[in-house]
Amino acid sequence: MTLDEAWEVLIQNQFKRTRNREIILEFLIAKDRYVTAMEVRNHMAADNPGVSFDTIYRNLSTFSELGILEETELNGERQFRMQCDHGVHHHHFICTDCGKTKNIPHCPMETLAVNLPGYEVEGHKFEVYGKCPVCVHP
């Protein structure tokens, strides 16, 4: 998702364009990986040392609820990244060292659904964790 697309979603949902939201979105676009709320806070603290962790976390949660961000849990902590391939069903390999992701276009639910006769699947999440080639061979 681009910055313009993110703002379009926010404005459609009655959210104002604020400097904090702008900084958060620009940071996430630049990182192109999963990041923690603390990483966002540390980035923002350079220009705005009084920025509230609650404000950052609330914005990240809102962005996630609106589909602007993807969210996962790594090492017991919520992490966020810009929505990628918006509208195209996919899954991710996530590097546990650097947080970079690689799209997995094949959905394992096609294979697993055979084992669920009579069940109605309402949603699923499939993520593969490990180390990317850069982190395996630094």
Coordinates of all heavy atoms in Angstrom, one line a residue, residues 46-94:
A46 N 13.3 11.1 18.2 CA 14.3 12.0 17.8 C 13.8 13.5 17.5 O 14.4 14.4 17.9 CB 15.0 11.5 16.5
D47 N 12.6 13.6 16.9 CA 12.1 14.9 16.6 C 11.0 15.3 17.6 O 10.7 16.5 17.7 CB 11.4 14.9 15.2 CG 12.5 14.8 14.1 OD1 13.6 15.2 14.3 OD2 12.1 14.2 13.0
N48 N 10.4 14.3 18.3 CA 9.3 14.6 19.2 C 9.5 13.7 20.5 O 8.8 12.7 20.6 CB 8.0 14.3 18.5 CG 6.8 14.7 19.4 OD1 6.9 15.1 20.5 ND2 5.6 14.4 18.8
P49 N 10.4 14.1 21.4 CA 10.7 13.3 22.5 C 9.5 13.1 23.5 O 9.5 12.1 24.2 CB 11.8 14.0 23.3 CG 12.0 15.3 22.6 CD 11.2 15.3 21.3
G50 N 8.5 13.9 23.4 CA 7.3 13.8 24.3 C 6.2 12.9 23.7 O 5.2 12.8 24.3
V51 N 6.4 12.3 22.5 CA 5.4 11.5 21.8 C 5.0 10.4 22.8 O 5.9 9.7 23.3 CB 5.8 11.0 20.4 CG1 6.9 10.0 20.5 CG2 4.6 10.5 19.7
S52 N 3.7 10.2 22.9 CA 3.2 9.1 23.8 C 3.2 7.8 23.1 O 2.8 7.6 22.0 CB 1.8 9.5 24.2 OG 1.0 8.4 24.6
F53 N 3.7 6.8 23.9 CA 3.7 5.4 23.4 C 2.2 5.0 23.1 O 2.0 4.3 22.1 CB 4.3 4.5 24.4 CG 4.5 3.1 23.9 CD1 5.5 2.8 22.9 CD2 3.7 2.1 24.3 CE1 5.7 1.5 22.5 CE2 3.9 0.8 23.8 CZ 4.9 0.5 22.9
D54 N 1.3 5.4 23.9 CA -0.1 5.1 23.7 C -0.6 5.6 22.4 O -1.4 5.0 21.7 CB -1.0 5.6 24.8 CG -0.8 4.9 26.1 OD1 -0.3 3.7 26.1 OD2 -1.2 5.4 27.2
T55 N -0.2 6.8 22.0 CA -0.6 7.5 20.7 C -0.1 6.6 19.6 O -0.8 6.3 18.6 CB 0.0 8.9 20.6 OG1 -0.6 9.7 21.7 CG2 -0.3 9.5 19.3
I56 N 1.1 6.2 19.7 CA 1.7 5.4 18.6 C 1.0 4.0 18.5 O 0.6 3.6 17.4 CB 3.2 5.1 18.9 CG1 4.0 6.5 18.7 CG2 3.8 4.1 17.9 CD1 5.4 6.5 19.3
Y57 N 0.8 3.4 19.6 CA 0.2 2.1 19.6 C -1.3 2.2 19.1 O -1.7 1.3 18.4 CB 0.2 1.5 21.0 CG 0.2 0.0 21.0 CD1 1.4 -0.7 20.8 CD2 -0.9 -0.7 21.2 CE1 1.4 -2.1 20.8 CE2 -1.0 -2.1 21.2 CZ 0.2 -2.8 21.0 OH 0.2 -4.2 21.0
R58 N -2.0 3.2 19.6 CA -3.4 3.4 19.1 C -3.4 3.6 17.6 O -4.3 3.0 16.9 CB -4.0 4.6 19.9 CG -5.5 4.8 19.7 CD -6.1 5.8 20.5 NE -5.3 7.1 20.6 CZ -4.6 7.5 21.6 NH1 -4.4 6.8 22.7 NH2 -4.0 8.7 21.5
N59 N -2.5 4.4 17.1 CA -2.5 4.6 15.6 C -2.1 3.3 14.9 O -2.8 3.0 13.9 CB -1.5 5.7 15.3 CG -2.1 7.1 15.4 OD1 -3.1 7.4 14.7 ND2 -1.6 7.9 16.3
L60 N -1.2 2.6 15.4 CA -0.8 1.3 14.7 C -2.0 0.4 14.7 O -2.3 -0.3 13.7 CB 0.4 0.7 15.4 CG 1.7 1.4 15.2 CD1 2.8 0.8 16.1 CD2 2.2 1.3 13.8
S61 N -2.7 0.3 15.8 CA -3.9 -0.6 15.9 C -5.0 -0.1 15.0 O -5.6 -1.0 14.3 CB -4.4 -0.6 17.4 OG -3.5 -1.2 18.2
T62 N -5.2 1.2 14.9 CA -6.2 1.7 14.0 C -5.8 1.4 12.5 O -6.7 0.9 11.8 CB -6.4 3.2 14.2 OG1 -6.8 3.5 15.5 CG2 -7.3 3.8 13.2
F63 N -4.6 1.6 12.2 CA -4.1 1.3 10.8 C -4.3 -0.1 10.5 O -4.7 -0.5 9.4 CB -2.7 1.7 10.6 CG -2.3 3.2 10.8 CD1 -1.0 3.6 11.0 CD2 -3.3 4.2 10.8 CE1 -0.7 4.9 11.1 CE2 -3.0 5.5 10.9 CZ -1.7 5.9 11.1
S64 N -4.1 -1.0 11.5 CA -4.2 -2.4 11.2 C -5.7 -2.8 11.0 O -6.1 -3.5 10.1 CB -3.7 -3.2 12.4 OG -3.8 -4.6 12.2
E65 N -6.6 -2.2 11.9 CA -8.0 -2.5 11.8 C -8.6 -2.0 10.4 O -9.5 -2.6 9.9 CB -8.8 -1.8 12.9 CG -8.6 -2.4 14.3 CD -9.1 -1.5 15.4 OE1 -9.9 -0.6 15.2 OE2 -8.7 -1.8 16.6
L66 N -8.0 -0.9 9.9 CA -8.5 -0.4 8.6 C -7.9 -1.1 7.4 O -8.2 -0.8 6.3 CB -8.2 1.1 8.5 CG -9.0 2.0 9.5 CD1 -8.5 3.4 9.5 CD2 -10.5 1.9 9.3
G67 N -7.0 -2.0 7.6 CA -6.4 -2.8 6.5 C -5.2 -2.1 5.9 O -4.7 -2.5 4.9
I68 N -4.7 -1.0 6.5 CA -3.5 -0.3 6.0 C -2.3 -1.1 6.4 O -1.3 -1.1 5.6 CB -3.5 1.1 6.6 CG1 -4.7 1.9 6.1 CG2 -2.1 1.8 6.3 CD1 -4.9 3.3 6.8
L69 N -2.3 -1.7 7.6 CA -1.1 -2.5 8.0 C -1.5 -3.9 8.1 O -2.6 -4.3 8.4 CB -0.7 -2.0 9.4 CG -0.2 -0.6 9.6 CD1 0.2 -0.3 11.0 CD2 0.9 -0.2 8.6
E70 N -0.5 -4.8 8.0 CA -0.5 -6.2 8.3 C 0.1 -6.3 9.7 O 0.9 -5.5 10.1 CB 0.2 -7.0 7.3 CG -0.4 -7.0 6.0 CD 0.4 -7.9 5.0 OE1 1.4 -8.6 5.4 OE2 0.1 -7.8 3.8
E71 N -0.4 -7.3 10.4 CA 0.1 -7.5 11.8 C 0.4 -8.9 12.1 O -0.2 -9.8 11.6 CB -1.1 -7.0 12.7 CG -0.8 -7.1 14.2 CD -2.0 -6.6 15.0 OE1 -2.8 -5.8 14.5 OE2 -2.2 -7.1 16.1
T72 N 1.5 -9.1 12.9 CA 1.8 -10.5 13.3 C 2.4 -10.4 14.7 O 2.5 -9.3 15.3 CB 2.9 -11.1 12.4 OG1 3.0 -12.5 12.6 CG2 4.2 -10.5 12.5
E73 N 2.6 -11.5 15.3 CA 3.3 -11.6 16.6 C 4.6 -12.3 16.5 O 4.6 -13.5 16.1 CB 2.4 -12.3 17.7 CG 2.9 -12.1 19.0 CD 2.0 -12.7 20.1 OE1 0.8 -12.3 20.0 OE2 2.5 -13.4 21.0
L74 N 5.7 -11.6 16.8 CA 7.0 -12.2 16.8 C 7.6 -12.0 18.2 O 7.6 -10.9 18.7 CB 7.9 -11.6 15.7 CG 7.6 -11.8 14.3 CD1 8.4 -11.0 13.4 CD2 7.8 -13.3 14.0
N75 N 8.2 -13.1 18.7 CA 8.9 -13.0 20.0 C 8.0 -12.4 21.1 O 8.4 -11.6 21.9 CB 10.2 -12.2 19.9 CG 11.1 -12.7 18.8 OD1 11.3 -13.9 18.7 ND2 11.7 -11.8 18.0
G76 N 6.7 -12.8 21.0 CA 5.7 -12.4 22.0 C 5.3 -10.9 21.9 O 4.7 -10.4 22.9
E77 N 5.5 -10.3 20.8 CA 5.2 -8.8 20.6 C 4.5 -8.6 19.3 O 4.9 -9.1 18.3 CB 6.6 -8.0 20.7 CG 6.4 -6.6 20.8 CD 7.7 -5.9 21.0 OE1 8.8 -6.5 21.0 OE2 7.7 -4.6 21.2
R78 N 3.5 -7.7 19.4 CA 2.8 -7.4 18.1 C 3.8 -6.6 17.2 O 4.5 -5.7 17.7 CB 1.6 -6.5 18.4 CG 0.4 -7.2 18.9 CD -0.7 -6.3 19.3 NE -1.4 -5.7 18.2 CZ -2.4 -4.8 18.3 NH1 -2.7 -4.3 19.5 NH2 -3.0 -4.3 17.2
Q79 N 3.8 -6.9 15.9 CA 4.6 -6.2 15.0 C 3.7 -5.8 13.8 O 2.8 -6.5 13.5 CB 5.8 -7.0 14.6 CG 6.7 -7.3 15.8 CD 8.1 -7.7 15.5 OE1 8.6 -7.4 14.4 NE2 8.8 -8.3 16.4
F80 N 4.1 -4.8 13.1 CA 3.3 -4.2 12.0 C 4.2 -3.9 10.8 O 5.4 -3.6 10.9 CB 2.7 -2.9 12.5 CG 1.9 -3.0 13.8 CD1 2.6 -2.8 15.0 CD2 0.6 -3.2 13.8 CE1 1.9 -2.9 16.2 CE2 -0.1 -3.3 15.0 CZ 0.5 -3.2 16.2
R81 N 3.5 -4.0 9.6 CA 4.1 -3.6 8.4 C 3.0 -3.1 7.5 O 1.9 -3.4 7.6 CB 4.9 -4.7 7.7 CG 4.0 -5.9 7.3 CD 4.7 -6.8 6.3 NE 4.7 -6.3 5.0 CZ 5.7 -6.4 4.1 NH1 6.7 -7.2 4.4 NH2 5.6 -5.9 3.0
M82 N 3.4 -2.3 6.4 CA 2.5 -1.9 5.5 C 1.8 -3.1 4.8 O 2.5 -4.0 4.5 CB 3.1 -0.9 4.5 CG 3.5 0.4 5.0 SD 2.2 1.4 5.8 CE 1.3 1.9 4.3
Q83 N 0.6 -2.9 4.4 CA -0.1 -4.0 3.7 C 0.5 -4.1 2.3 O 0.8 -3.2 1.6 CB -1.6 -3.5 3.5 CG -2.5 -4.5 2.8 CD -2.8 -5.7 3.7 OE1 -2.3 -6.8 3.4 NE2 -3.6 -5.5 4.7
C84 N 0.9 -5.4 2.0 CA 1.5 -5.6 0.7 C 0.5 -6.4 -0.2 O -0.4 -7.1 0.3 CB 2.8 -6.4 0.8 SG 2.7 -8.0 1.6
D85 N 0.7 -6.3 -1.5 CA -0.2 -7.0 -2.4 C -1.7 -6.9 -2.0 O -2.4 -7.8 -1.9 CB 0.2 -8.4 -2.6 CG 1.5 -8.6 -3.2 OD1 1.9 -7.8 -4.0 OD2 2.2 -9.6 -2.9
H86 N -2.1 -5.7 -1.7 CA -3.4 -5.4 -1.2 C -4.5 -6.1 -2.1 O -4.5 -5.9 -3.3 CB -3.7 -3.9 -1.1 CG -4.9 -3.6 -0.4 ND1 -5.1 -3.8 1.0 CD2 -6.1 -3.0 -0.8 CE1 -6.3 -3.4 1.4 NE2 -6.9 -2.9 0.3
G87 N -5.3 -6.9 -1.5 CA -6.4 -7.6 -2.2 C -6.0 -8.9 -2.8 O -6.8 -9.6 -3.3
V88 N -4.7 -9.3 -2.8 CA -4.3 -10.6 -3.3 C -4.0 -11.5 -2.1 O -3.1 -11.2 -1.3 CB -3.1 -10.4 -4.2 CG1 -2.6 -11.8 -4.7 CG2 -3.4 -9.5 -5.3
H89 N -4.7 -12.6 -2.0 CA -4.5 -13.6 -0.9 C -3.1 -14.2 -1.0 O -2.7 -14.7 -2.0 CB -5.5 -14.7 -0.9 CG -5.4 -15.6 0.2 ND1 -5.9 -15.3 1.5 CD2 -5.0 -16.9 0.3 CE1 -5.7 -16.3 2.3 NE2 -5.1 -17.2 1.6
H90 N -2.3 -14.1 0.1 CA -1.0 -14.6 0.2 C -0.6 -14.8 1.6 O -1.3 -14.4 2.6 CB 0.0 -13.6 -0.5 CG 0.2 -12.3 0.2 ND1 -0.8 -11.3 0.1 CD2 1.1 -11.8 1.0 CE1 -0.4 -10.3 0.9 NE2 0.8 -10.6 1.4
H91 N 0.6 -15.4 1.8 CA 1.1 -15.6 3.2 C 2.6 -15.2 3.1 O 3.1 -14.8 2.1 CB 1.0 -17.1 3.5 CG -0.5 -17.5 3.6 ND1 -1.3 -17.2 4.6 CD2 -1.2 -18.2 2.7 CE1 -2.5 -17.7 4.4 NE2 -2.5 -18.3 3.2
H92 N 3.3 -15.3 4.3 CA 4.6 -14.8 4.4 C 5.6 -15.8 5.0 O 5.2 -16.5 6.0 CB 4.7 -13.5 5.2 CG 4.1 -12.3 4.6 ND1 3.0 -11.6 5.2 CD2 4.2 -11.7 3.4 CE1 2.7 -10.6 4.4 NE2 3.4 -10.7 3.3
F93 N 6.8 -15.7 4.6 CA 8.0 -16.2 5.3 C 8.5 -14.9 6.0 O 8.6 -13.9 5.4 CB 9.1 -16.7 4.4 CG 10.4 -17.0 5.2 CD1 10.6 -18.3 5.7 CD2 11.3 -16.0 5.4 CE1 11.7 -18.5 6.5 CE2 12.5 -16.3 6.1 CZ 12.7 -17.5 6.6
I94 N 8.7 -15.0 7.4 CA 9.2 -13.9 8.1 C 10.5 -14.2 8.8 O 10.6 -15.2 9.5 CB 8.2 -13.5 9.2 CG1 6.8 -13.2 8.6 CG2 8.6 -12.3 10.0 CD1 5.7 -13.1 9.6

